Amino acid sequence: MPEGIQLNIGRFPWLGVVQHSFHVGGKQAFAITGAILIHSTYALAAAEDVARILPQTLQNNTKLVLWKSATEKFALEVHDYVLHPEYVKGKTTASIALLDLVPPAAADFSDYVAPVRPICLPTGGLGSYENIYSVKLTDITGELQKEVHKMNFVSRDKCDQYYYEAQLHYEKMNPISPVCAVTANATVPCVWDSGTALITRQSWGFWQLVSS
């Protein structure tokens, strides 16, 4: 799979952004963060970003935007969110939020299917982590594009050593159950932006979420 910034934004349709609208000085503004569709009515996003959205301003102002192709996109309303129990404002930097999505008004909730296929969730016996990638949406060029990097798995002891040397090991800075990886061509460790997904390709062809 090609690495770097790619124009084919619809390649991973389960990768999207949470868009929250608000008003500043009488003008409408938008804030976005990456998100991953894991179920027809649920998505994952960074707790640090989602927690900034006040619950009373969430409904009717917050959407999950997904791209089925470069020209075909969908927007699902975010009804509510739940922050991971380990999240503590100002202390936890690598935790997740579960977004509760609202199907379109015309849809039957009982048999609703999202307009795109969600990513497969982690399962036992994931494998040897030989074929893993990080993928995210980036607007570094002024428009949303997909950024992909081949990754190498990092053992837990080396991961703990990195958090210690980077002084991220205290209180709740260090995740309880991290999965660590580094870009294959990296020369120094790095911390990914919010909404980056660590994924692996299953033997039968579907992508599976390792971490987010």
Side-chain angles (χ1 to χ4, degrees):
M1 184 170 59
E3 290 189 70
I5 295 178
Q6 303 175 25
L7 297 177
N8 184 8
I9 198 171
R11 171 70 186 276
F12 301 119
W14 36 260
L15 181 68
V17 295
V18 178
Q19 177 181 287
H20 177 66
S21 61
F22 55 97
H23 288 83
V24 177
K27 295 183 178 181
Q28 189 174 39
F30 296 92
I32 64 171
T33 186
I36 305 157
L37 187 71
I38 60 169
H39 182 273
S40 290
T41 55
Y42 294 102
L44 294 178
E48 185 179 13
D49 292 338
V50 173
R52 298 173 184 173
I53 305 175
L54 299 177
Q56 59 266 32
T57 66
L58 180 74
Q59 296 187 31
N60 302 319
N61 293 308
T62 310
K63 304 177 185 295
L64 172 65
V65 183
L66 302 165
W67 284 264
K68 195 169 185 178
S69 68
T71 58
E72 187 178 9
K73 69 178 181 179
F74 301 88
L76 302 175
E77 296 282 348
V78 178
H79 171 69
D80 199 0
Y81 66 78
V82 178
L83 302 175
H84 195 283
E86 75 179 16
Y87 174 75
V88 177
K89 183 179 180 180
K91 295 183 179 180
T92 314
T93 59
S95 190
I96 58 175
L98 181 68
L99 307 179
D100 184 4
L101 309 174
V102 181
D108 183 349
F109 186 85
S110 61
D111 59 1
Y112 170 70
V113 177
V116 302
R117 183 191 296 270
I119 190 172
C120 298
L121 289 174
T123 59
L126 187 59
S128 60
Y129 296 102
E130 293 180 352
N131 189 28
I132 56 177
Y133 295 84
S134 70
V135 57
K136 68 173 183 175
L137 292 176
T138 177
D139 59 356
I140 192 172
T141 63
E143 60 181 347
L144 282 174
Q145 295 174 315
K146 183 171 76 266
E147 186 173 347
V148 179
H149 294 279
K150 182 72 171 67
M151 306 293 288
N152 291 331
F153 175 69
V154 177
S155 63
R156 179 60 187 268
D157 59 335
K158 291 183 178 179
C159 185
D160 288 340
Q161 180 182 355
Y162 163 72
Y163 273 94
Y164 177 79
E165 293 178 351
Q167 298 184 350
L168 297 173
H169 63 290
Y170 59 90
E171 295 181 341
K172 291 200 172 186
M173 297 289 284
N174 189 349
I176 297 174
S177 302
V179 175
C180 294
V182 63
T183 53
N185 299 318
T187 56
V188 295
C190 56
V191 177
W192 295 101
D193 293 339
S194 298
T196 302
L198 191 64
I199 60 176
T200 184
R201 192 73 174 269
Q202 297 173 323
S203 59
W204 52 90
F206 292 111
W207 290 99
Q208 179 173 305
L209 182 66
V210 177
S211 180
S212 65

